[in-house]
Amino acid sequence: MSGNPDSPVQTQMALSVFKSPVGRNHHGNDTMEGVNLKTTGRRRIFIQTESGCVLGMDLDRNDNAHMVKRRLQIALNVPTEESSLTFGDLILKNDLSAIRNYSPLLLTRNLIHRSSSSPCLSPSGRDIQQRDRSGPIEILGHSSNFTKTKELVKEIAIALKNGIDPIPVHGGLGGAYYFRNINGESVAIVKPTDEEPFAPNNPKGFVGKALGQPGLKRSVRVGETGYREVAAYLLDHNHFANVPPTALVKITHSIFNVNDVSGTRDKNKKKHFSKIASFQQFIAHDYDASDHGTSNFPVSSVHRIGILDIRIFNTDRHAGNLLVRIGGGQFGQVELIPIDHGLCLPENLEDPYFEWIHWPQSSIPFSEDELDYIESLDPFRDSEILKSELPMIREACLRVLILSTVFLKEGARFGLCLAEIGEMMSREFRRGEEEPSELEALCMAARRAVVAEREKIQNQNQNREPFVLSSSSPKREVQVQFQEDGNHGIVFEIDDISPISPFQFGYGRNPLSKLEEEEEEDEEEVVLCASGDVHCVSRLLKKNLSLGEHRSASEQAPGSACFVKLGDMKEEEWGMFLEKFQELLGPAFGQRKSGSVGQRLRQRLGTSCQF
């Protein structure tokens, strides 16, 4: 793109001039567009502090993390020994070869006390000598999917130049802003990552955490919901579910909120602040689904949104984030537009929230077109797409994507409908507490199978005799059955938390610890034959934990417990886990399809973040 100063979309550096003993001079007129990055090795990065301040920088091939921190020390007066640079899961010690062009990095302080009332590295501080001289909006990424977003950026940049300012969105818990075109029409909604609920610059009083800490959902960190908004759009292949065009941007304007040390905005001065934010096309609509009877929603619209929600393991799909547009829809007179995907792709399996699970449309079988679409999905290719476009996304989130997509594909092959698959992913609510979902139970069983197989290899027991899914640690018996008479169900046991298993139960406490106090009468075990087949040789014990059956309150897990973690497994172990998981899916789906499970009324816990 041209460096013409009159161009509505500028591509100049966000941090224009650094004159330091450790780096070269940076010139504000340099552009990255048209530069062969493979030849020059130059990359543009954006560095966000814990308090939300965003600075831009060009990297050369030989730059390293220490040099970057030295430049930031000059701009922010932050000693290099007191700061760390992180890129998703990666803490950057020195090598920056993994950093891609337009990547956002997070700068954190190491040796100071973090305070919610006095956020460190405040972007309003006087020690920031270098001011952002880039254009008003820059897209972080080059995907061909961002064509529509680039058009909107140009419209908004022209409007800003002509005095058409954005307006704040008053609803919700986080900061959001409508950006308008030259006619004053809202064309995009922008959500800065540092104004999310609990983030340092939240404009609605919900502060108290630094970027990177657990947020509204324990498995979604503060400051990372914007990545997920973009991920949902990138995964909506062929606009199947109707997700509006979304991109991650670096954007500058005076309307953005920056809290002072007292936690409130300084209204005496209007300064321009740069933010990293999700940028989504605003869709004109008549109302949202909470204001409309669900019986009028097209079956295909509900199915397509449900398919997306399952793939991305959406933990917050409620009627308020389904927009309704009357007339002109491709599925009839009513069109549904899904928005607000910031709480999808959690790092651990949580309880998803699918409001459509109770709608009659979700109980209607998939159409042939929908089945063909599901069959065409490739979770590993999708994972690579996200790695390419959002390289800062965490590996654990990608594993949740793969797991849930595999679950959807196998469920559809077995003839399950949308509601049945969603129910198997959802936890049940029993006597004031929650139980693991059937999906989580399968994951725990797969994990135990992996551990057992590794023990078998280590012990060199190659006699092909059956072996028991157990370990030498004290037993904490858990049995799961997908058929009431117990003749063909799947039963497994889990033991005490041990270093070999990455699955942690709850946060600091095993919610199943009371099970060891129960009687073990008539105890029989499940065996996993050397062939890999699972066989049940036990009837369901009355006092054992089982999905779909009652259990005592003392056996229940605490609210928001984490039963399954995927991110701690090494790559080899993750591959073995997926193999075992897929082996267990057939019997589970078969029993569900036979009608012996799931016919009773399910009491779901489900936690939405709708306010």
Side-chain angles (χ1 to χ4, degrees):
M1 183 173 292
S2 171
N4 180 359
D6 294 328
S7 174
V9 183
Q10 296 294 316
T11 58
Q12 298 165 330
M13 290 179 50
L15 235 162
S16 60
V17 179
F18 264 122
K19 294 182 180 180
S20 72
V22 296
R24 67 201 180 286
N25 291 350
H26 293 266
H27 303 287
N29 292 327
D30 290 345
T31 67
M32 294 298 295
E33 297 290 340
V35 175
N36 189 330
L37 296 175
K38 293 182 179 179
T39 302
T40 65
R42 294 185 67 190
R43 292 155 290 170
R44 175 180 296 181
I45 61 172
F46 297 94
I47 300 170
Q48 184 176 32
T49 70
E50 286 180 305
S51 62
C53 174
V54 178
L55 302 175
M57 183 182 298
D58 276 352
L59 296 182
D60 277 342
R61 185 188 304 274
N62 297 324
D63 283 343
N64 57 45
H66 181 70
M67 295 171 68
V68 170
K69 289 197 290 184
R70 286 293 302 275
R71 294 175 193 142
L72 293 172
Q73 179 178 3
I74 296 173
L76 299 173
N77 195 27
V78 180
T80 57
E81 65 274 8
E82 294 183 4
S83 62
S84 295
L85 279 175
T86 60
F87 181 58
D89 295 317
L90 183 63
I91 299 177
L92 301 173
K93 300 297 185 182
N94 201 39
D95 182 28
L96 297 179
S97 60
I99 307 304
R100 300 195 180 195
N101 194 32
Y102 289 100
S103 293
L105 278 59
L106 180 64
L107 179 72
T108 57
R109 295 286 289 270
N110 298 331
L111 303 176
I112 63 173
H113 173 68
R114 291 176 179 171
S115 172
S116 61
S117 61
S118 57
C120 56
L121 300 178
S122 172
S124 60
R126 295 181 179 178
D127 53 348
I128 301 180
Q129 302 298 322
Q130 305 295 338
R131 289 302 176 186
D132 191 342
R133 301 181 186 177
S134 65
I137 309 174
E138 293 190 59
I139 300 174
L140 279 60
H142 295 287
S143 173
S144 59
N145 293 307
F146 299 147
T147 302
K148 179 62 178 178
T149 303
K150 292 178 181 178
E151 296 174 0
L152 293 175
V153 165
K154 292 179 181 178
E155 287 187 50
I156 292 171
I158 293 172
L160 291 174
K161 191 173 182 180
N162 285 273
I164 308 297
D165 289 326
I167 55 178
V169 178
H170 297 292
L173 300 180
Y177 306 88
Y178 292 126
F179 276 69
R180 301 180 289 174
N181 61 17
I182 193 67
N183 299 319
E185 302 166 332
S186 297
V187 294
I189 182 168
V190 171
K191 300 178 183 178
T193 57
D194 67 322
E195 297 187 26
E196 297 175 8
F198 302 129
N201 292 319
N202 181 277
K204 298 172 182 176
F206 298 99
V207 296
K209 294 186 178 182
L211 299 178
Q213 293 183 330
L216 279 175
K217 299 283 186 177
R218 288 190 176 186
S219 292
V220 178
R221 304 182 191 227
V222 175
E224 298 185 5
T225 64
Y227 308 160
R228 291 168 167 83
E229 295 269 15
V230 181
Y233 171 65
L234 292 173
L235 294 173
D236 187 22
H237 305 310
N238 302 320
H239 209 50
F240 186 77
N242 218 14
V243 178
T246 312
L248 198 67
V249 300
K250 174 257 177 190
I251 187 166
T252 305
H253 201 275
S254 61
I255 194 173
F256 295 135
N257 184 68
V258 173
N259 293 327
D260 59 21
V261 293
S262 65
T264 58
R265 182 174 183 176
D266 182 1
K267 298 181 179 179
N268 295 325
K269 296 181 180 180
K270 296 205 70 175
K271 299 179 181 179
H272 282 73
F273 297 108
S274 296
K275 305 269 185 145
I276 292 176
S278 65
F279 179 101
Q280 185 173 85
Q281 180 183 2
F282 175 76
I283 304 297
H285 55 282
D286 296 284
Y287 32 73
D288 63 52
S290 63
D291 299 322
H292 194 277
T294 60
S295 62
N296 291 329
F297 296 157
V299 173
S300 185
S301 288
V302 175
H303 281 194
R304 290 177 176 227
I305 291 170
I307 289 169
L308 174 70
D309 286 340
I310 288 175
R311 291 172 59 207
I312 63 178
F313 207 91
N314 198 345
T315 65
D316 193 39
R317 171 63 72 211
H318 54 77
N321 54 39
L322 286 175
L323 306 181
V324 180
R325 189 160 56 183
I326 304 299
Q330 56 179 321
F331 305 117
Q333 293 302 308
V334 177
E335 183 180 13
L336 296 181
I337 300 101
I339 59 171
D340 293 345
H341 298 103
L343 296 177
C344 70
L345 296 177
E347 293 181 41
N348 305 313
L349 294 188
E350 293 201 5
D351 188 25
Y353 190 84
F354 305 140
E355 183 158 327
W356 45 255
I357 209 171
H358 308 292
W359 299 352
Q361 295 92 330
S362 65
S363 296
I364 296 176
F366 291 119
S367 68
E368 289 299 322
D369 289 344
E370 292 159 358
L371 290 173
D372 290 343
Y373 180 85
I374 293 172
E375 184 64 27
S376 71
L377 295 173
D378 184 341
F380 302 99
R381 182 189 62 193
D382 289 343
S383 176
E384 291 302 317
I385 289 173
L386 294 190
K387 284 182 181 179
S388 175
E389 295 296 335
L390 299 169
M392 75 295 293
I393 199 165
R394 300 177 186 272
E395 181 66 24
C397 305
L398 299 177
R399 290 181 176 181
V400 169
L401 168 67
I402 292 171
L403 189 77
S404 54
T405 304
V406 168
F407 193 75
L408 168 67
K409 289 171 69 72
E410 291 299 317
R413 287 194 188 110
F414 272 84
L416 271 64
C417 66
L418 183 64
E420 290 173 316
I421 298 173
E423 284 180 354
M424 293 182 72
M425 297 175 69
S426 304
R427 295 176 182 175
E428 290 195 51
F429 191 39
R430 298 289 181 183
R431 299 182 181 179
E433 297 290 346
E434 62 184 337
E435 295 178 348
S437 67
E438 294 175 60
L439 170 61
E440 290 171 306
L442 287 169
C443 289
M444 290 187 282
R447 177 58 190 152
R448 294 308 311 145
V450 170
V451 173
E453 185 166 306
R454 295 184 64 178
E455 289 178 352
K456 176 189 173 184
I457 294 174
Q458 291 172 358
N459 295 330
Q460 297 184 349
N461 295 328
Q462 303 297 335
N463 55 7
R464 296 187 61 81
E465 291 184 2
F467 58 92
V468 179
L469 299 184
S470 62
S471 70
S472 58
S473 56
K475 288 183 180 178
R476 295 187 178 180
E477 186 76 14
V478 180
Q479 293 191 348
V480 178
Q481 180 171 312
F482 295 98
Q483 183 168 331
E484 291 182 343
D485 63 7
N487 290 331
H488 302 287
I490 300 175
V491 184
F492 65 94
E493 65 177 26
I494 55 177
D495 58 5
D496 223 351
I497 298 175
S498 63
I500 194 171
S501 174
F503 292 102
Q504 303 295 321
F505 293 80
Y507 284 85
R509 183 173 75 88
N510 185 348
L512 307 177
S513 60
K514 295 295 183 179
L515 292 177
E516 63 184 353
E517 302 173 6
E518 300 292 339
E519 299 178 5
E520 297 183 356
E521 58 186 4
D522 300 326
E523 180 177 326
E524 295 173 317
E525 298 173 312
V526 171
V527 294
L528 177 65
C529 295
S531 63
D533 295 328
V534 179
H535 299 283
C536 173
V537 294
S538 170
R539 287 187 175 272
L540 186 63
L541 299 181
K542 181 178 181 180
K543 292 187 178 182
N544 282 15
L545 167 65
S546 73
L547 298 181
E549 299 292 340
H550 291 284
R551 58 175 177 162
S552 66
S554 63
E555 297 171 341
Q556 302 294 323
S560 300
C562 175
F563 296 105
V564 176
K565 289 185 178 181
L566 303 176
D568 296 337
M569 283 185 279
K570 296 180 180 179
E571 195 64 31
E572 180 183 359
E573 190 175 19
W574 164 244
M576 294 174 61
F577 168 82
L578 274 181
E579 290 181 6
K580 297 301 180 184
F581 176 74
Q582 289 182 281
E583 289 174 4
L584 295 172
L585 288 179
F589 287 136
Q591 298 306 317
R592 165 68 68 157
K593 187 61 179 176
S594 69
S596 60
V597 175
Q599 300 302 320
R600 64 181 64 86
L601 179 64
R602 296 171 63 92
Q603 302 178 54
R604 294 197 55 250
L605 179 60
T607 304
S608 170
C609 293
Q610 180 182 18
F611 290 88

